[in-house]
């Protein structure tokens, strides 16, 4: 027997209470670990410090006039610019989400060429030559069984195709490109803007946002200011930021997911804190006499306090372990929803480390009061011996 | 015989609300090594307070308490804790065993404070349980034992570190006569054969007869009565 085994035995003094407490903590950490993993997966793309993005000041769903693109391109300090438009794509069924972007191939390859180097030259030429062509990540083509040269119908949940009156366009798969971990082109299906623009029923000659390369990252702030100033007080005011900020805001604007999740996680953690804290206080109060006996036998106040803290940390760590395991399962399940889109979701090392740290902190914070009480407890009071 | 404990002019006062209650006023006493002392007296006479002071679980308001020539009233909290672990065994009226631990583990508890190896600890526990005649109940939890057996486990826990002093607070107060006599017989044996100094608080005159001498405490003063030859 040692202090650890004593803590373990104390933990199971009331098994039902311990199990219920562990379930509470498990649920909290399942939400916590999956949230962290999910949010880091959504914004975990490589970025270039000299790559910036201009979009509508309102939000990224608000389009900009094509004229903006021309003026941004000519701004001092901008080396190359392109434009992109969200297509809102899916394949066959709405749940088969695809990140389809309508682009201008020539300029797009200037701005994102680094991440498209894996596209074979012949396929690149084929893509440039055919306005109905598209290129997709290898993983995506493999998942759906698409072969180069094949015609693939893609649906949009936003736009309608003027030529057929339906929300579907036919694209010829011109090529595939590799998307290593963190590639900015992960999951991107690239189609011709011209083809898309001419056939859509609304929003013609408008673009979603304008990515561009700057001369130097040191000039980013000045260039951003210059661009946004140029469109200030116009009908289409802009907001320019570096790519990293853009990616984060892109992720955040998906229904303000981060905020909502943070609130849910925060609320659940406060609830857990209160539950665990109250239960620990109750558990220590029930054992006042036993703790008094331990002190009488010669256990120091510090050692008794450490044991109370240890019990709390132990239960918190166990709860967190189960929670993280459940989160891993949940994320695996979620990742099946994104199958084929190229996005990978799984438990991240950050989520794992954060869960361990938070579990230890949670254990210490919830037991701090009872542990301090145990530390200060006088033997004569604990044993009621006066 | 040498003095194991010496109290000189000990005062103990408590403050309850605005009232100051004096338990002892200039109490002095000496207890020799190997003594078996029964402390009797009416409720509120200060028996338990005296036991707390002797066991280092409470401090005097003034005066000195020496144990084996060392002033325990001057010790820091940490020193006092270590001193208790090494020198004093406690036996309570309601046994105060850990319900989650077996008899063996309860007895082992004070040994966690020593540097003994697990093997040596097990040996010492076996010896202590053997002395109190409970070797066959080593793996039983307190709720699986009678009151007398639980008190024997508590005695084994008190002697397992081989302390010089055993402090017993109404050790038979919760037991029937026969069981009480068995427990008192065990204490007598520990005093006679192992030389333990025992101070026992009791209300029971029959229990006090097992001691070598009886001190009656009343209003903070002693009246002594020699019992054993």
């Amino acid at each position: 027997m040692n202090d650890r085994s004593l803590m373990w035995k104390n933990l199971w003094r009331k098994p039902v209470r311990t199990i219920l407490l562990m379930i509470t903590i498990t649920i909290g950490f399942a939400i916590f670990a999956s949230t962290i993993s999910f949010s880091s997966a959504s914004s975990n793309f490589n970025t270039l410090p000299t790559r910036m993005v201009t979009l509508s000041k309102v939000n990224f769903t608000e389009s900009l006039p094509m004229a903006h693109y021309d003026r941004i391109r000519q701004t001092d300090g901008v080396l190359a610019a392109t434009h992109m438009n969200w297509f809102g794509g899916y394949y066959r069924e709405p749940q088969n989400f695809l990140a389809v972007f309508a682009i201008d191939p020539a300029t797009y390859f200037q701005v994102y060429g680094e991440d498209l180097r894996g596209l074979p030259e012949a396929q690149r030429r084929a893509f440039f030559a055919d306005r109905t062509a598209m290129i997709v990540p290898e993983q995506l083509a493999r998942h759906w069984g698409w072969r180069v040269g094949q015609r693939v119908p893609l649906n949009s949940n936003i736009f309608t195709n003027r030529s057929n009156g339906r929300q579907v366009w036919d694209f010829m798969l011109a090529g595939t490109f590799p998307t290593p971990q963190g590639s900015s082109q992960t999951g991107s299906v690239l189609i011709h803007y011209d083809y898309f623009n001419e056939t859509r029923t609304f929003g013609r000659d408008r673009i979603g946002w304008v990515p561009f390369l700057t001369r130097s990252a040191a000039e980013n702030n000045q260039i951003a200011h210059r661009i946004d100033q140029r469109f200030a007080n116009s009908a289409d005011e802009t907001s320019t930021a570096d790519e990293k900020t853009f990616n984060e805001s892109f992720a955040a604007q998906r229904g303000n997911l981060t905020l909502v999740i943070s609130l849910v996680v925060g609320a659940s953690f406060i609830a857990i804190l209160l539950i665990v804290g109250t239960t620990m206080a109750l558990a220590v109060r029930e054992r006042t006499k036993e703790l008094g006996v331990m002190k009488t036998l010669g256990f120091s106040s510090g050692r008794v306090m450490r044991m109370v803290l240890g019990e709390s940390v132990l239960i918190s760590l166990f709860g967190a372990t189960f929670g993280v395991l459940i989160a891993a399962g949940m994320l695996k399940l979620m990742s099946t929803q994104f199958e084929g889109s190229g996005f990978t979701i799984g438990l991240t090392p950050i989520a794992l480390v954060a869960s361990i740290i938070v579990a230890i902190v949670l254990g210490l914070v919830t037991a701090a009061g009872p542990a301090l009480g145990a530390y200060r407890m006088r033997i004569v009071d604990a044993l009621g011996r006066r | 015989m040498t003095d194991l404990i010496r109290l000189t002019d000990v005062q103990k006062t408590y403050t309850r609300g605005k009232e100051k209650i004096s338990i002892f006023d200039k109490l002095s006493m000496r207890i020799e090594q190997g003594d078996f002392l029964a402390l009797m007296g009416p409720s509120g006479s200060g028996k338990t307070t005296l036991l707390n002071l002797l066991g280092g679980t409470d401090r005097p308001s003034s005066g000195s308490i020496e144990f084996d020539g060392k002033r325990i009233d001057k010790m820091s909290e940490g020193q006092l804790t270590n001193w208790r672990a090494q020198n004093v065994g406690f036996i309570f009226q309601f046994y105060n065993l850990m319900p989650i631990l077996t008899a063996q583990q309860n007895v082992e508890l004070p040994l966690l404070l020593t540097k003994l190896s697990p093997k040596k600890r097990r040996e010492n526990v076996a010896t202590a349980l053997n002395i109190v005649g409970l070797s066959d109940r080593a793996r039983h939890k307190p709720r699986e034992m009678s009151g007398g057996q639980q008190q024997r486990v508590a005695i084994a826990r008190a002697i397992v570190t081989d302390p010089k002093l055993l402090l017993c607070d109404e050790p038979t107060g919760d037991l029937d006569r026969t069981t009480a006599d068995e427990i008192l017989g065990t204490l007598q044996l520990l005093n006679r054969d192992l030389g333990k100094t025992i101070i026992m608080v009791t209300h029971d005159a029959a229990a006090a007869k097992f001691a070598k001498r009886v001190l009656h405490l009343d209003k903070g003063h002693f009246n002594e009565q020699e019992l054993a030859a």
Side-chain angles (χ1 to χ4, degrees):
Chain A
M1 192 170 68
N2 54 34
D3 285 10
R4 277 189 302 279
S5 60
L6 205 55
M7 283 189 271
W8 183 249
K9 282 175 193 295
N10 269 323
L11 212 59
W12 295 103
R13 178 183 292 257
K14 297 209 167 158
V16 175
R17 181 167 70 187
T18 303
I19 288 168
L20 289 175
L21 208 55
M22 236 178 234
I23 290 172
T24 311
I25 299 170
T26 298
I27 291 168
F29 276 93
I31 297 168
F32 178 75
S34 47
T35 305
I36 300 256
S37 297
F38 189 76
S39 89
S40 60
S42 353
S43 56
N44 191 24
F45 297 120
N46 295 339
T47 51
L48 261 187
T50 53
R51 197 153 51 209
M52 301 190 77
V53 181
T54 297
L55 64 157
S56 166
K57 197 176 179 180
V58 179
N59 63 36
F60 83 99
T61 60
E62 192 69 25
S63 61
L64 297 170
M66 180 60 95
H68 273 41
Y69 161 67
D70 291 323
R71 294 174 78 177
I72 291 168
R73 206 156 46 111
Q74 289 156 15
T75 304
D76 182 35
V78 174
L79 291 185
T82 187
H83 56 83
M84 298 173 75
N85 214 102
W86 183 249
F87 179 78
Y90 65 90
Y91 180 55
R92 288 182 182 156
E93 303 295 334
Q95 62 264 33
N96 300 333
F97 160 81
L98 293 173
V100 182
F101 299 103
I103 58 151
D104 171 48
T107 54
Y108 191 84
F109 272 69
Q110 287 171 7
V111 177
Y112 290 102
E114 277 291 296
D115 285 331
L116 291 164
R117 270 185 311 182
L119 180 72
E121 181 55 27
Q123 292 181 4
R124 190 186 72 85
R125 276 203 301 271
F127 176 54
F128 276 53
D130 185 347
R131 282 163 24 114
T132 67
M134 68 171 178
I135 52 173
V136 304
E138 286 171 352
Q139 192 188 359
L140 195 70
R142 213 166 28 244
H143 177 78
W144 292 115
W146 296 338
R147 289 179 309 280
V148 173
Q150 181 183 341
R151 291 205 80 80
V152 179
L154 295 186
N155 296 72
S156 169
N157 49 26
I158 304 171
F159 302 102
T160 303
N161 188 342
R162 220 155 30 104
S163 59
N164 59 20
R166 292 163 57 212
Q167 290 184 296
V168 64
W169 275 260
D170 261 355
F171 296 100
M172 189 274 292
L173 181 61
T176 61
F177 51 88
T179 48
Q181 183 74 32
S183 166
S184 67
Q185 300 305 305
T186 302
S188 296
V189 173
L190 304 176
I191 59 170
H192 283 254
Y193 174 80
D194 288 347
Y195 174 50
F196 162 71
N197 190 41
E198 282 166 20
T199 50
R200 64 175 161 170
T201 51
F202 68 93
R204 283 195 72 175
D205 297 330
R206 290 187 74 87
I207 52 175
W209 57 96
V210 181
F212 58 88
L213 293 175
T214 62
R215 200 160 37 208
S216 143
E219 289 183 62
N220 284 2
N221 285 344
Q222 290 165 284
I223 296 168
H225 181 70
R226 218 171 282 153
I227 293 170
D228 293 340
Q229 273 299 106
R230 176 171 283 188
F231 303 115
N233 301 319
S234 73
D236 297 286
E237 289 191 307
T238 59
S239 168
T240 304
D242 61 76
E243 192 177 29
K244 191 172 187 300
T245 312
F246 170 74
N247 283 353
E248 283 167 2
S249 66
F250 186 85
Q253 285 189 47
R254 278 185 298 200
N256 250 338
L257 194 66
T258 313
L259 178 68
V260 171
I261 288 172
S262 302
L263 287 174
V264 171
V265 171
S268 66
F269 263 87
I270 288 168
I272 288 171
L273 204 76
L274 292 173
I275 294 166
V276 179
T278 313
T279 312
M280 281 309 293
L282 199 68
V284 171
R285 188 176 284 259
E286 281 170 4
R287 279 156 48 202
T288 300
K289 208 162 194 174
E290 285 179 32
L291 296 175
V293 170
M294 287 181 76
K295 283 189 169 187
T296 307
L297 295 179
F299 282 80
S300 68
S301 296
R303 192 160 172 174
V304 170
M305 183 178 80
R306 281 196 296 276
M307 287 173 84
V308 172
L309 286 173
E311 276 174 45
S312 177
V313 170
L314 211 58
I315 198 169
S316 186
L317 278 173
F318 268 97
T321 305
F322 291 128
V324 166
L325 288 174
I326 289 173
M330 275 163 52
L331 289 165
K332 200 169 168 61
L333 210 67
M334 279 169 78
S335 71
T336 59
Q337 295 294 308
F338 289 93
E339 245 172 35
S341 70
F343 294 110
T344 50
I345 296 172
L347 192 73
T348 60
I350 294 171
L352 196 64
V353 173
S355 297
I356 292 168
I357 292 170
V358 171
I360 292 170
V361 173
L362 181 76
L364 291 175
V365 168
T366 50
L372 206 63
Y375 180 84
R376 287 179 179 161
M377 181 191 292
R378 294 182 68 229
I379 295 171
V380 286
D381 296 330
L383 299 178
R385 297 175 70 223
R386 268 201 181 169
Chain B
M1 279 281 193
T2 51
D3 287 344
L4 182 68
I5 300 166
R6 185 178 292 174
L7 268 75
T8 313
D9 295 335
V10 167
Q11 281 188 303
K12 182 67 187 173
T13 50
Y14 287 120
T15 311
R16 193 172 290 159
K18 286 180 181 173
E19 199 185 355
K20 211 171 188 183
I21 301 162
S22 174
I23 310 292
F24 310 123
D25 188 20
K26 305 241 179 212
L27 185 77
S28 296
M29 72 182 292
R30 290 154 68 157
I31 298 165
E32 289 179 346
Q33 192 143 359
D35 203 353
F36 186 170
L37 178 71
L39 266 177
M40 297 188 76
S43 292
S45 60
K47 303 183 299 291
T48 299
T49 303
L50 181 60
L51 215 59
N52 289 340
L53 294 175
L54 294 172
T57 55
D58 203 357
R59 289 174 186 275
S61 306
S62 69
S64 68
I65 303 173
E66 284 177 56
F67 181 91
D68 229 359
K70 284 179 196 147
R71 290 276 299 265
I72 63 166
D73 59 292
K74 294 276 181 197
M75 288 179 180
S76 68
E77 206 54 53
Q79 286 171 325
L80 206 54
T81 302
N82 288 336
W83 171 82
R84 266 202 314 273
Q86 288 163 15
N87 296 288
V88 192
F90 293 86
I91 299 162
F92 307 95
Q93 181 181 355
F94 296 109
Y95 334 123
N96 285 344
L97 299 174
M98 301 275 176
I100 50 162
L101 303 179
T102 61
Q104 199 171 25
Q105 290 165 334
N106 265 293
V107 178
E108 194 186 351
L109 206 56
L111 295 178
L112 296 183
L113 303 163
T114 67
K115 289 187 171 134
L116 294 177
S117 68
K119 183 172 176 277
K120 183 71 183 137
R121 289 206 307 251
R122 277 197 296 277
E123 283 171 14
N124 288 9
V125 169
T127 306
L129 283 171
N130 190 39
I131 288 171
V132 298
L134 273 184
S135 300
D136 58 330
R137 310 290 284 179
R139 293 183 188 279
H140 288 72
K141 287 196 172 162
R143 65 168 182 273
E144 297 159 350
M145 290 187 278
S146 69
Q149 286 171 330
Q150 288 187 55
Q151 194 58 297
R152 283 176 184 280
V153 174
I155 294 172
R157 181 178 68 184
I159 61 169
V160 74
T161 53
D162 196 20
K164 286 182 180 168
L165 177 64
L166 290 183
L167 297 177
C168 317
D169 192 2
E170 301 265 12
T172 56
D174 197 40
L175 303 172
D176 61 72
R177 187 73 264 157
T178 315
T179 314
D181 286 351
E182 282 173 16
I183 294 293
L184 290 162
T186 305
L187 291 177
Q188 215 169 33
L189 180 139
L190 292 170
N191 173 251
R192 195 181 57 225
D193 297 353
L194 300 177
K196 302 292 173 201
T197 305
I198 301 176
I199 301 170
M200 173 176 73
V201 163
T202 183
H203 277 109
D204 179 8
K209 285 183 183 159
F210 282 79
K212 284 180 180 168
R213 61 187 178 118
V214 180
L215 276 178
H216 287 272
L217 191 61
D218 195 7
K219 293 172 186 164
H221 295 285
F222 288 127
N223 292 313
E224 186 166 354
Q225 177 190 351
E226 289 283 347
L227 285 173

